[in-house]
Amino acid sequence: MDRDYTVLFRSTLRSMSRSLALYMHIPFCRVKCPYCSFVVYTRRAHVREDYLNALVAELDLRIASLTEEETRVARGPDGRFPLGTVYLGGGTPSLLSTETLGGLLDAVRSRFALVNDAEVTVETEPGTTDAETFAALTGHGVNRVTIGVQSFDDVHLATLGRAHSGSDARAAIAACREGGITNLDLDLMFGLPGQTLASWRADLAEAVAHAPEHLSLYNLTLEPGTPFAQRAARGTLSLPEEETQAKMMRAAMSTSAKAGLVHYEISNFARPGFASRHNRSYWTGDAYLGIGVGAHGFLPGGGKHGLGRRWWNVRAPERYADTVRGGQLPEEGAEELGREAALLEALYLGLRQRSGLDLASLPRRFGIRLTPEADAMLEDFALRGLIAREAQTIKLTQESVIIADYAIGELVGLLDTAVGSDTVVS
Ligand code: SF4
């Protein structure tokens, strides 16, 4: 065994994760919101059954293609892979009946060994659920629910083109608790057209008053090709000033902290013990399987370098179903990570998390260590307040998290040239 291979082999053993994460995409929505770039369809009711059958067929094809080496997860004694999290997202999964969602979860359970404390999440939209829905989902083993509130203000909801009102959101939250869900995530958005700091503060105050276990607070982004991006290019979409958006982020952090929600990732806040385990697998480089149209997946030991392979699926439901029926995985594209790409990704994802990036993990994961130049540069960044450095961990500060994309871009760009990527550490 040569030295390079020994390093990777040892690193693989040390970084074996306990279980896989599974995302299943349900691409049906009541309306297409003008800021949304997800793969969703509003007029495909006739393909739903075909699509759901294809989801299960893709699951079988994907499982048959997996190895322990590329997943870095060991199969159980019965040959099945352990599964730590399941996430039914979309789209609007709650447009499907609870029997249908339960059937999908049964299909998952019979193909994987769900770990005892598996996190099973379903995304829902206000106006598509009631207490019976949530009680039925609880009965099917769902233990975490996300409600896409976005705002409690009907004016903002209309601007966002949402199909629900603020009172629908309040009713959904009450129904969720009544239905027995004890791990509730509320999604809200800020930086909306016409939104003021005062109206964002009102949304935040109402959100924490509902005592959710988890809050996801997203800054509106203009995704290329969406109607919002087109309007912005024409100059007909007026967003809050950058300084106001920075104040909105500060308000999000202080309101959440006062409510006992810990800021653990740029956009995510949770009570202790309620951070999303599913999303953590995206940020820590663990294996996740994405099933369904437009879904992405990642295998940390995949690719010819053994440093990761990601794939993304075709977007049209008819083509997706046809491909799977033909016995082929419906991948539209794939990327095999080399050492540099894997390292950049680890830096980017590590810095997104408020716990920061463990520099000591770089030799183990990538066979590299920081050069003295990189070390000096990090000191300089710390002096400028862009990062906080504690021993071997670097993280964004309270201020730099507000300009996270800029700060991470700077750090990643500079570290990339200064990490000493030729150094193999045994
Ligand atoms: S409901 Fe969600 S997934 Fe569906 S179009 Fe709107 S933003 Fe996109």
Side-chain angles (χ1 to χ4, degrees):
M1 205 180 279
D2 72 22
R3 198 156 177 248
D4 263 279
Y5 188 78
T6 307
V7 170
L8 282 178
F9 182 71
R10 286 190 190 148
S11 115
T12 299
L13 285 185
R14 275 193 292 254
S15 61
M16 285 289 265
S17 164
R18 205 165 53 101
S19 55
L20 297 174
L22 173 68
Y23 173 84
M24 298 180 95
H25 190 68
I26 312 294
F28 308 112
C29 286
R30 291 187 290 182
V31 295
K32 179 83 196 247
C33 307
Y35 59 89
C36 177
S37 63
F38 297 150
V39 183
V40 297
Y41 298 94
T42 54
R43 293 194 187 85
R44 293 284 225 287
H46 59 287
V47 301
R48 278 188 198 172
E49 200 177 321
D50 252 15
Y51 180 76
L52 296 169
N53 291 333
L55 270 187
V56 177
E58 187 195 354
L59 203 51
D60 284 331
L61 290 168
R62 183 56 67 188
I63 291 170
S65 76
L66 294 176
T67 66
E68 292 186 345
E69 194 182 16
E70 62 185 1
T71 57
R72 296 188 178 173
V73 172
R75 289 177 191 269
D78 62 359
R80 291 184 302 169
F81 277 104
L83 191 64
T85 67
V86 187
Y87 195 106
L88 300 184
T92 309
S94 53
L95 277 184
L96 302 181
S97 70
T98 51
E99 291 75 28
T100 303
L101 294 173
L104 274 180
L105 291 173
D106 288 345
V108 170
R109 265 190 210 93
S110 64
R111 288 160 173 81
F112 291 96
L114 251 70
V115 302
N116 279 339
D117 57 347
E119 178 187 276
V120 183
T121 306
V122 174
E123 279 184 353
T124 66
E125 195 199 1
T128 62
T129 51
D130 55 23
E132 285 73 43
T133 312
F134 292 112
L137 289 176
T138 306
H140 288 299
V142 173
N143 51 25
R144 184 171 184 272
V145 161
T146 287
I147 300 180
V149 172
Q150 314 316 346
S151 173
F152 292 99
D153 184 321
D154 288 343
V155 173
H156 295 320
L157 289 169
T159 306
L160 290 172
R162 303 288 303 194
H164 71 267
S165 64
S167 23
D168 289 336
R170 291 176 194 108
I173 293 168
C176 186
R177 293 307 199 189
E178 204 182 314
I181 296 293
T182 54
N183 187 353
L184 169 62
D185 165 52
L186 302 181
D187 281 2
L188 279 92
M189 294 171 69
F190 66 95
L192 310 179
Q195 191 180 37
T196 60
L197 182 57
S199 66
W200 172 235
R201 283 189 196 283
D203 266 346
L204 283 171
E206 175 151 9
V208 298
H210 290 293
E213 281 69 35
H214 192 282
L215 270 183
S216 300
L217 306 175
Y218 298 110
N219 200 167
L220 173 71
T221 49
L222 297 174
E223 300 292 344
T226 59
F228 264 24
Q230 288 157 2
R231 282 175 55 193
R234 288 198 302 269
T236 59
L237 189 77
S238 153
L239 299 175
E241 297 290 325
E242 264 181 31
E243 183 48 35
T244 306
Q245 299 204 30
K247 285 181 183 162
M248 288 176 170
M249 185 65 194
R250 284 192 197 99
M253 293 194 292
S254 72
T255 306
S256 306
K258 279 183 203 142
L261 294 153
V262 177
H263 191 189
Y264 71 98
E265 196 269 347
I266 289 174
S267 308
N268 288 281
F269 305 77
R271 296 197 186 292
F274 288 94
S276 162
R277 280 160 40 206
H278 183 80
N279 286 349
R280 257 186 70 82
S281 62
Y282 299 156
W283 302 321
T284 53
D286 287 341
Y288 59 87
L289 312 177
I291 303 290
V293 284
H296 291 227
F298 180 69
L299 300 174
K304 59 177 177 284
H305 308 290
L307 288 171
R309 177 180 187 275
R310 74 176 69 262
W311 75 86
W312 50 96
N313 279 351
V314 299
R315 294 170 71 94
E318 292 88 350
R319 188 171 153 219
Y320 169 80
D322 285 349
T323 309
V324 171
R325 256 197 304 268
Q328 302 291 317
L329 283 169
E331 292 182 7
E332 184 168 76
E335 180 189 6
E336 296 187 348
L337 301 189
R339 186 176 293 194
E340 191 179 328
L343 172 65
L344 283 181
E345 187 158 300
L347 292 171
Y348 183 76
L349 295 175
L351 287 167
R352 285 189 66 89
Q353 299 174 77
R354 297 307 311 278
S355 56
L357 174 72
D358 176 16
L359 295 173
S361 71
L362 298 181
R364 169 167 57 78
R365 293 171 67 188
F366 307 108
I368 57 105
R369 63 183 154 219
L370 296 185
T371 61
E373 293 78 24
D375 213 50
M377 197 183 63
L378 288 177
E379 285 305 315
D380 178 51
F381 271 57
L383 283 173
R384 288 163 55 199
L386 276 176
I387 57 165
R389 188 167 184 188
E390 293 158 16
Q392 283 298 303
T393 302
I394 56 171
K395 56 179 87 165
L396 297 183
T397 62
Q398 282 288 99
E399 273 307 300
S400 63
V401 79
I402 292 165
I403 48 164
D405 283 343
Y406 164 77
I408 291 175
E410 285 276 289
L411 278 168
V412 165
L414 290 170
L415 276 177
D416 177 33
T417 59
V419 286
S421 60
D422 292 334
T423 312
V424 174
V425 178
S426 55

